[in-house]
Amino acid sequence: MCGIVGYVGGRPCRDLLIAGLEKLEYRGYDSAGISLIVDGRIESVRAVGNLANLRAAVNQPNGNGAVAVAEAPSTVGLAHTRWATHGRVTEENAHPHGDCEDRIHIVLNGIVENHAELHRELEAEGHRFSSETDAEIVAHLIERHDEGDLTDAVRRAFNDLRGHYAFVAMHSDHPGQLVAARRECPLIVGLGEGETFVASAIPAFLAETRKVTLIENGEIVTLDSDGAAISDTDGQPIARETEEVTWDEDAAEKSGFPTFMLKEIHEQPDAVAETIADRVHDDDRVDLDELDLDEGFVSKLRRIVIVACGTSYHAGLVGRYAIEQWARIPVEMDIASEYRYRDPVVGEGDLVIGITQSGETADTLAAMRLARERGATVMGVTNIMGSQVTRDSDTVLYTRAGLEIGVAATKTFVSQVAAMYLFGLWLADVRGSLERAEIARLVGELKALPSKIDEVIDAGDERVRAIARTHYEQRFFLYLGRNIGLPVCLEGALKLKEISYIPTDAYAAGEMKHGPIALLDESTPVICVVTDSPVMEKMLSNVAEVRARGADVIGVATDGAEAAVSAVADQTIVVPRTDWVMQPIVAIVPLQLLAYHIARMNGLNVDQPRNLAKTVTVE
Ligand code: AGP
């Protein structure tokens, strides 16, 4: 989730733009850059690392900081913080990016899904590329369509692109103008006196103006010092009211949500959409060419081992079902802090997958290193480019959830599960263990997941809040599930533990009669995940068992199967139907929300729970 800021107006904007980037630091980044139009040409500075590096670079006298040297105040410019998804963390890959003549510069947040195809076309037309990014494509596309009208060139470039992104462009021939466009990723205009801002989030210019215009999906906006003109993809003008933002800076960072955790729960549809973007194409195949995994090795693979900690371990458990079901390869799963000390039997021919959103968790890194020393091929699944795990792995599959600030992992969990679904389907395709038609059906289901998660959040939150209201004073919760429902229970139970400090237990429902059933009495709330799966009937009878002992049963059911669950549960939460192996990615959302509302109703700080750190780098 990159940060973009643009300014056109009467004031020198170099420091205004960098100040705007500082307000977007919470979005996370690994490099940054700024471009300004100075005396009819574009000057640009980019730097890897934090904004202090960019500030230092900009203030280098006679360095590459031409911007600093050009004391003639520039009043139009772009700036960007990069959260790398395509291309390594380097100065060349930092934004802004330019066209062949450096007369057009752009900054972009999001992903261009058809970048490979466009890159080939433009290269064939003679365009020269200077970065590994998907974003640079946009500058060259505008150059391709440039006939003197920047808005028209941006519109035509926009119509060539596929994916979800927002970008801003400037042209040295049009020093009084910026043109921006949006598909899915957020874009907001800030209107000041004789000046106009554009950004990916309101905090970037909130200190300068509270008058905003929201840019909707598929819109192009032309900005100058007098304001903004919105048009659609055919050039038809669109009228839009301006609004007054009442948020304080803290709320703005949370996009108006009371906490980062709730903001990040709401970002889950985007996190999954970005994670699968440009890895699933129109031909309904999964493309993981980015992985350095030889197909010969994959075809002969006899075993996979997954190691991880905490929430990442639960994502691995879902991944095991997907890989075993679709690719028919046995998957061994272990908690990293156990795996590293059990002298595991692992070696050449084995693939060991380490899942870690931060990429810095000591136990997971140690488990991966041990496996690698013993000859295994090691793949990292992480959310952070440049993190330690990327250096300790033979190949890396990136999730694209953006920076997660809340200690309790939410959007990184669903993006890890989506990454496991991609990997499972890719393996099945390479190994031919599934018919093409079945892979196409499952890829179709995968593409539909972001909107189904959206549906659960929008339709389910009120229902979950009502259940929380009648349960937040409870002092113990039991979670029950079977088969692919069990990892959902383990994750739901962990969420409630870590943010509400209420003891919870998650159990395989078939195990109940072997002991835990003794825990139950009239008041025990039991969360039962009864989503669609091959053992649905079995699970229903387990629920009936605990209900028979008077427990207070809250069932999570798949749309269309809620009647059977309601028959054995006191309350039922319904989630959208998808393929049974993909049910966990929607079924976890109400359990995240339940933990959230219970913790909030107990007046707790959900973003920074006691005794917990976001990244556990100690052994
Ligand atoms: C989850 O909410 C916790 N923050 C914690 O269990 C976390 O999942 C665990 O520490 C693993 O972190 P990682 O994914 O960064 O390796």
Side-chain angles (χ1 to χ4, degrees):
M1 207 166 59
C2 303
I4 56 181
V5 196
Y7 174 90
V8 53
R11 289 193 280 167
C13 63
R14 185 189 71 188
D15 295 340
L16 268 177
L17 288 167
I18 296 181
L21 290 185
E22 279 157 358
K23 293 288 178 219
L24 296 179
E25 281 189 291
Y26 70 92
R27 297 164 72 89
Y29 63 100
D30 45 54
S31 48
I34 181 170
S35 289
L36 297 176
I37 296 182
V38 182
D39 307 336
R41 65 185 192 288
I42 295 181
E43 295 297 349
S44 191
V45 174
R46 300 177 288 188
V48 169
N50 66 30
L51 283 175
N53 297 357
L54 180 65
R55 267 197 188 283
V58 160
N59 291 318
Q60 289 282 339
N62 301 331
N64 67 355
V67 174
V69 177
E71 289 314 319
S74 167
T75 58
V76 58
L78 301 175
H80 184 271
T81 49
R82 179 173 186 242
W83 176 271
T85 58
H86 289 75
R88 293 160 299 139
V89 177
T90 64
E91 197 183 311
E92 292 69 34
N93 289 339
H95 299 212
H97 288 297
D99 67 332
C100 300
E101 311 305 324
D102 249 350
R103 293 179 316 121
I104 298 166
H105 270 216
I106 65 103
V107 290
L108 178 138
N109 169 33
I111 290 176
V112 176
E113 285 173 14
N114 57 341
H115 64 95
E117 174 194 327
L118 290 168
H119 194 284
R120 283 190 295 277
E121 276 177 29
L122 288 160
E123 224 163 28
E125 290 167 19
H127 287 261
R128 302 177 309 283
F129 287 83
S130 56
S131 80
E132 303 159 341
T133 68
D134 55 331
E136 185 186 347
I137 297 278
V138 178
H140 293 277
L141 278 177
I142 297 171
E143 179 182 22
R144 173 203 262 180
H145 295 301
D146 183 14
E147 293 167 2
D149 177 329
L150 183 56
T151 303
D152 183 57
V154 166
R155 189 188 329 285
R156 291 160 67 189
F158 184 72
N159 292 336
D160 291 339
L161 296 168
R162 282 209 312 283
H164 46 273
Y165 40 74
F167 66 84
V168 189
M170 71 180 189
H171 194 310
S172 55
D173 296 356
H174 308 278
Q177 205 181 49
L178 295 176
V179 180
R182 171 191 180 192
R183 182 168 285 133
E184 305 289 346
C185 290
L187 196 65
I188 304 114
V189 170
L191 301 165
E193 294 305 317
E195 58 188 16
T196 308
F197 295 82
V198 59
S200 44
I202 288 173
F205 55 67
L206 192 61
E208 307 301 330
T209 177
R210 288 180 169 277
K211 250 173 84 184
V212 303
T213 298
L214 301 178
I215 305 304
E216 298 301 339
N217 227 1
E219 293 181 349
I220 287 108
V221 58
T222 306
L223 308 149
D224 59 25
S225 55
D226 300 329
I230 306 173
S231 53
D232 65 16
T233 49
D234 303 322
Q236 295 309 307
I238 297 172
R240 173 85 27 79
E241 293 300 306
T242 65
E243 300 170 37
E244 190 75 17
V245 175
T246 56
W247 299 334
D248 62 28
E249 292 219 11
D250 178 56
E253 272 188 11
K254 299 178 181 119
S255 305
F257 290 100
T259 63
F260 281 112
M261 183 175 176
L262 192 60
K263 170 179 173 282
E264 287 154 6
I265 287 175
H266 282 255
E267 287 172 348
Q268 296 189 109
D270 282 350
V272 170
E274 295 229 354
T275 297
I276 65 177
D278 81 330
R279 286 149 167 183
V280 286
H281 300 302
D282 296 351
D283 61 358
D284 286 338
R285 303 190 81 125
V286 172
D287 162 357
L288 289 182
D289 291 355
E290 65 205 83
L291 293 180
D292 296 338
L293 279 179
D294 169 64
E295 296 206 357
F297 167 78
V298 168
S299 307
K300 289 200 294 299
L301 206 48
R302 292 197 334 285
R303 179 175 73 140
I304 291 177
V305 178
I306 302 179
V307 292
C309 302
T311 288
S312 296
Y313 171 77
H314 300 148
L317 285 172
V318 178
R320 174 169 69 175
Y321 276 98
I323 294 169
E324 292 193 343
Q325 273 299 323
W326 299 334
R328 305 312 288 155
I329 303 174
V331 177
E332 191 186 303
M333 186 76 222
D334 208 344
I335 295 165
S337 53
E338 285 300 314
Y339 186 81
R340 59 180 296 193
Y341 295 115
R342 76 172 165 89
D343 189 14
V345 181
V346 64
E348 190 130 0
D350 290 333
L351 174 66
V352 173
I353 302 175
I355 305 177
T356 164
Q357 78 85 17
S358 61
E360 306 289 348
T361 299
D363 286 320
T364 306
L365 296 175
M368 295 169 77
R369 284 189 199 123
L370 175 78
R372 208 172 186 205
E373 283 152 19
R374 296 188 178 186
T377 299
V378 168
M379 175 171 103
V381 176
T382 189
N383 196 48
I384 311 235
M385 207 169 258
S387 58
Q388 184 58 43
V389 75
T390 64
R391 293 188 287 281
D392 289 352
S393 304
D394 298 300
T395 189
V396 180
L397 177 56
Y398 288 100
T399 57
R400 300 175 179 148
L403 181 70
E404 187 173 65
I405 294 174
V407 167
T410 53
K411 63 177 182 173
T412 53
F413 173 71
V414 291
S415 60
Q416 286 166 342
V417 171
M420 286 290 107
Y421 291 153
L422 285 169
F423 190 62
L425 288 172
W426 179 75
L427 286 175
D429 202 1
V430 171
R431 294 165 64 94
S433 56
L434 279 180
E435 297 295 323
R436 280 276 328 109
E438 178 59 0
I439 291 179
R441 180 188 72 79
L442 289 163
V443 168
E445 291 279 5
L446 192 58
K447 287 178 178 174
L449 290 177
S451 59
K452 291 188 176 168
I453 297 172
D454 230 351
E455 203 184 311
V456 185
I457 296 169
D458 293 348
D461 192 32
E462 205 30 59
R463 176 118 188 70
V464 174
R465 209 189 282 263
I467 293 172
R469 251 182 242 111
T470 54
H471 288 78
Y472 74 94
E473 289 164 320
Q474 288 286 349
R475 288 308 103 191
F476 172 70
F477 285 74
L478 182 63
Y479 291 71
L480 291 181
R482 288 186 81 133
N483 193 281
I484 205 157
L486 182 54
V488 180
C489 286
L490 290 162
E491 179 55 12
L494 175 62
K495 290 284 93 85
L496 190 59
K497 271 192 195 88
E498 65 180 321
I499 62 173
S500 76
Y501 321 147
I502 298 172
T504 65
D505 206 346
Y507 239 83
E511 275 294 286
M512 278 298 286
K513 51 189 170 298
H514 304 293
I517 201 159
L519 285 171
L520 301 181
D521 63 24
E522 276 64 40
S523 70
T524 314
V526 182
I527 316 276
C528 297
V529 174
V530 203
T531 49
D532 197 16
S533 81
V535 293
M536 173 97 171
E537 294 314 311
K538 289 262 174 248
M539 186 59 202
L540 283 169
S541 55
N542 293 134
V543 179
E545 266 171 28
V546 295
R547 184 88 179 291
R549 280 146 188 84
D552 167 10
V553 175
I554 298 159
V556 179
T558 299
D559 191 12
E562 62 270 33
V565 178
S566 305
V568 290
D570 298 282
Q571 307 193 60
T572 304
I573 302 166
V574 181
V575 296
R577 175 171 294 280
T578 177
D579 180 81
W580 70 267
V581 176
M582 297 184 189
Q583 285 291 172
I585 211 166
V586 284
I588 190 55
V589 178
L591 302 191
Q592 295 166 337
L593 287 167
L594 185 67
Y596 176 80
H597 291 307
I598 287 176
R600 293 283 284 173
M601 290 170 186
N602 281 293
L604 297 169
N605 173 351
V606 295
D607 283 342
Q608 186 49 66
R610 70 184 183 197
N611 308 338
L612 284 177
K614 182 65 186 167
T615 305
V616 183
T617 53
V618 291
E619 310 259 332

